[in-house]
């Protein structure tokens, strides 16, 4: 069975890619479905550098998908305040 993905280019042209051929050339992790990506994250160790406003949704997503999250920020736990407590309760380790 062949899986094709089509991509719309800025020019309006559609281009089809054979996912299996891409996997052969570039490796398994380069071309995967969203379901495969979520399954791969379950139980994986992930590091998040910076706990600012833009990375908070990322940390929540990784936790929902079952990843083991380690986080690092320039601010101390005291400076992060309640958010640091929330992370600790959710199982996020801090390095």
């Amino acid at each position: 069975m062949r899986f094709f993905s089509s991509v719309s280019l800025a020019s309006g042209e559609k281009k089809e890619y054979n996912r299996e051929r891409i996997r052969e050339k570039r490796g398994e992790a380069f071309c995967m479905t969203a379901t495969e990506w979520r399954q791969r994250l379950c139980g994986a160790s992930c590091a998040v550098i910076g706990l600012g406003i833009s990375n908070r949704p990322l940390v929540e997503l990784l936790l929902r998908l079952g990843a083991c999250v380690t986080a690092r920020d320039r601010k101390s736990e005291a400076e992060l305040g309640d958010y640091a407590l929330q992370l600790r309760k959710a199982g996020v380790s801090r390095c």
Side-chain angles (χ1 to χ4, degrees):
M1 178 183 287
R2 290 185 167 192
F3 294 96
F4 288 90
S5 298
S6 65
V7 175
S8 295
L9 303 175
S11 64
E13 175 188 357
K14 275 201 164 193
K15 196 166 188 177
E16 288 195 350
Y17 295 93
N18 180 331
R19 286 191 348 216
E20 302 209 353
R21 188 164 181 215
I22 292 171
R23 283 181 175 163
E24 290 171 10
K25 286 186 169 186
R26 298 195 177 169
E28 195 67 27
F30 185 80
C31 179
M32 66 178 74
T33 65
T35 302
E36 291 169 334
W37 178 77
R38 287 190 300 270
Q39 289 171 345
R40 187 170 271 191
L41 279 175
C42 186
S45 296
C46 298
V48 177
I49 309 300
L51 294 172
I53 195 77
S54 61
N55 276 346
R56 290 179 183 199
L58 172 64
V59 172
E60 293 170 14
L61 174 66
L62 292 170
L63 290 170
R64 268 198 319 271
L65 295 176
C68 301
V69 180
T70 300
R72 180 72 179 121
D73 196 85
R74 279 188 276 183
K75 293 182 179 179
S76 68
E77 286 190 37
E79 291 173 308
L80 290 170
D82 291 338
Y83 187 60
L85 295 173
Q86 292 173 6
L87 291 175
R88 188 173 296 270
K89 286 180 184 176
V92 175
S93 60
R94 194 158 192 279
C95 65

